[in-house]
Amino acid sequence: MTSSIVFKSFTGLRHSSQEHPKVLHSHTNPISGFPYRRFRIKASKSSPKLQNRNLRVAVIGGGPAGGSAAETLAKGGIETYLIERKLDNCKPCGGAIPLCMVGEFDLPLDIIDRRVTKMKMISPSNVAVDIGQTLKAHEYIGMVRREVLDDYLRERASTNGAKVINGLFLKMDIPKKGSENINSPYVLHYTEYDGKKGGTGERKTLEVDVVIGADGANSRVAKSIDAG
């Protein structure tokens, strides 16, 4: 079954009715227009088991995605590491979140800084989209400050057992295929900034079984595995 997404074309700040809507199928990335890469993960009772230790997972990137992933993993009893370079980062991000996120992520209402009912988003290429026209009388768009939201989610992950590392991920050594030791770890190379080495930080390594890349559009994890 194939679903479709329809995008309207805009010229400047005014909707252009001269162009037909562009239809992109679900197997195509609606942002880039390129096909998605497919992958499959399999696990079974016959999969190799870890001996005398828990699964170790490193989450690279401490934004909402990374913080939520680290919290979920830590709650499940997994040895979790969350690596983030800027723990007090104030991002140039609008911070708009849907109301459903408050309930789904169990966020406190006071984390919402502003309640917006109308918004116009304008891109650097002068494309504009009006948001809020479909909101009901009791609904609103929640605006948060990213440094507040991100820190809240990281702290919650830490409370549940995740180790938060103030560090910059550099690269990782990937286990070779066909290795005799099927549980060979990924070796992460990163610079840790703990204040002891000044602004230069200290180069360190970390061995884990799984790596989650939550480090944004210019992901170093993606580059490490040639994911495009």
Side-chain angles (χ1 to χ4, degrees), residues 186-208:
Y186 291 85
V187 181
L188 307 185
H189 299 261
Y190 67 98
T191 302
E192 183 174 10
Y193 301 93
D194 56 4
K196 298 179 182 179
K197 297 290 183 178
T200 58
E202 182 180 0
R203 294 286 292 268
K204 291 188 175 182
T205 59
L206 176 66
E207 293 186 354
V208 295

Side-chain angles (χ1 to χ4, degrees), residues 10-159:
F10 286 82
T11 302
L13 299 182
R14 185 175 301 172
H15 176 245
S16 172
S17 59
Q18 298 177 353
E19 296 182 30
H20 295 289
K22 298 177 182 179
V23 180
L24 300 177
H25 296 290
S26 60
H27 57 268
T28 303
N29 187 320
I31 304 300
S32 67
F34 293 106
Y36 283 115
R37 292 191 179 188
R38 297 176 180 271
F39 67 93
R40 183 175 299 167
I41 300 174
K42 293 182 178 179
S44 67
K45 291 182 179 180
S46 60
S47 296
K49 295 182 180 180
L50 299 174
Q51 299 296 327
N52 302 319
R53 66 175 178 84
N54 292 334
L55 186 71
R56 303 166 300 182
V57 179
V59 181
I60 312 301
S68 301
E71 179 191 5
T72 302
L73 293 167
K75 281 182 176 179
I78 293 174
E79 187 177 329
T80 307
Y81 300 88
L82 176 61
I83 301 177
E84 168 59 37
R85 171 64 183 95
K86 298 179 180 179
L87 296 178
D88 58 349
N89 191 21
C90 181
K91 291 192 173 184
C93 168
I97 64 173
L99 280 181
C100 61
M101 183 176 175
V102 175
E104 291 175 2
F105 289 81
D106 195 22
L107 299 176
L109 285 176
D110 60 5
I111 207 169
I112 296 176
D113 198 59
R114 294 287 187 274
R115 299 186 180 191
V116 177
T117 55
K118 291 183 180 180
M119 181 191 304
K120 182 183 289 290
M121 296 179 63
I122 304 174
S123 75
S125 58
N126 209 31
V127 175
V129 178
D130 289 311
I131 298 176
Q133 297 173 334
T134 60
L135 292 176
K136 297 178 181 178
H138 65 283
E139 294 179 331
Y140 60 87
I141 301 167
M143 306 297 293
V144 299
R145 290 160 54 196
R146 283 292 303 277
E147 69 271 22
V148 176
L149 174 66
D150 295 10
D151 181 66
Y152 175 82
L153 293 173
R154 287 193 299 264
E155 285 296 322
R156 200 162 66 178
S158 177
T159 300

